[in-house]
Amino acid sequence: MLAPGEYSAELRESFDSDLGTMETTRQSVDLIKEVPGFLTAITTLADECHDVIEKLHNVLARALQLDDLEYFNKVSKAFSDRKIPTATMFRTIYYPPISEDIKQGAIRCAPHTDYGTITLLFQDQMGGLEVLNASGAWIAATPIPGTILVNTGDLLYFWSGGRYPATTHRVLVPETETKRRLSRQSIAYFIHPDDDVMVSPLGGQGSNQEAVSAYEHVKMKLDKTYKF
């Protein structure tokens, strides 16, 4: 029997494209032959997100009372030069219909936080996403047409000195049989600064902590999550 909080499987599939991959693939042979136009579609969407990202970066700088409102944009040069290394990642996620012989403890996506500064999340209308609020209760992140859900990540929590906690979220298996028979799709755009940017708390808690590069931070998170 599984203990509380343990999961036997995650019922989802995903395809990741980092900024560098999208740029080099444009200049070489199409690596996504099974779905013509797929690369163009995700690259176009990623490009169209950049104005939103720049504005959110400005809002963060203002909220943290930084003198330079372009601070976060200046450390995210990879958006304009994709040869610059960054952990920024564009992910398409597919949750297939649930079979009748589902294993005990299966979940569509286990509780977790994202590693970067912010994540732009596009959902279909199926629902199922839940976020953990400040009181420790899970609440539904009900899809709202025409909107983008913004999650805060682990790096922003560290960078902001604890003022912006990372959003813990999950995707449950639907309770109703009707919804279990339907698939779910979402798109996540994980935003990180350039790999070589040195990050330390901008005030708040832990102001005396040593700086760490953005690359080292995400590597630490990956090493902790994926143990082989």
Side-chain angles (χ1 to χ4, degrees):
M1 179 177 292
L2 294 171
E6 291 185 341
Y7 302 96
S8 60
E10 286 191 318
L11 309 176
R12 61 189 175 107
E13 304 169 3
S14 63
F15 183 89
D16 292 351
S17 301
D18 61 40
L19 290 182
T21 298
M22 285 192 269
E23 180 64 23
T24 55
T25 306
R26 282 172 167 175
Q27 300 171 358
S28 59
V29 179
D30 185 7
L31 301 179
I32 313 174
K33 296 180 179 179
E34 294 184 14
V35 187
F38 177 71
L39 182 64
T40 300
I42 62 173
T43 303
T44 299
L45 178 57
D47 288 343
E48 291 180 351
C49 287
H50 293 172
D51 184 55
V52 175
I53 295 166
E54 288 183 352
K55 290 178 180 178
L56 287 171
H57 279 167
N58 292 148
V59 169
L60 280 174
R62 186 180 296 277
L64 293 171
Q65 299 181 329
L66 303 184
D67 293 332
D68 186 358
L69 296 184
E70 293 297 322
Y71 175 82
F72 292 105
N73 289 322
K74 289 179 179 178
V75 296
S76 304
K77 296 184 178 68
F79 287 111
S80 56
D81 183 356
R82 286 182 171 152
K83 295 179 181 178
I84 296 176
T86 177
T88 292
M89 181 75 66
F90 193 89
R91 175 176 295 165
T92 57
I93 310 166
Y94 173 69
Y95 301 89
I98 307 298
S99 62
E100 295 182 0
D101 58 345
I102 181 176
K103 293 182 179 180
Q104 178 190 8
I107 193 170
R108 278 186 157 170
C109 188
H112 68 285
T113 55
D114 298 335
Y115 302 148
T117 49
I118 57 175
T119 301
L120 305 186
L121 182 66
F122 302 83
Q123 304 184 74
D124 63 13
Q125 297 305 304
M126 279 300 297
L129 176 67
E130 294 186 343
V131 297
L132 192 66
N133 68 14
S135 301
W138 288 103
I139 58 174
T142 304
I144 302 173
T147 65
I148 304 171
L149 181 69
V150 180
N151 283 333
T152 49
D154 296 326
L155 185 61
L156 183 59
Y157 174 70
F158 174 69
W159 216 344
S160 68
R163 283 171 284 183
Y164 288 95
T167 307
T168 301
H169 50 289
R170 66 183 182 182
V171 181
L172 297 179
V173 171
E175 294 183 358
T176 64
E177 186 65 27
T178 303
K179 284 196 170 184
R180 286 191 179 198
R181 294 177 181 176
L182 300 174
S183 61
R184 179 181 186 272
Q185 288 187 295
S186 63
I187 299 173
Y189 199 3
F190 304 104
I191 310 305
H192 294 250
D194 304 333
D195 280 354
D196 63 357
V197 172
M198 299 304 295
V199 178
S200 60
L202 297 167
Q205 301 174 2
S207 298
N208 59 348
Q209 293 190 46
E210 292 186 8
V212 61
S213 73
Y215 171 79
E216 290 171 336
H217 185 274
V218 73
K219 184 178 184 300
M220 176 183 65
K221 293 294 182 179
L222 287 167
D223 290 344
K224 186 177 180 179
T225 302
Y226 300 101
K227 297 179 181 179
F228 298 99

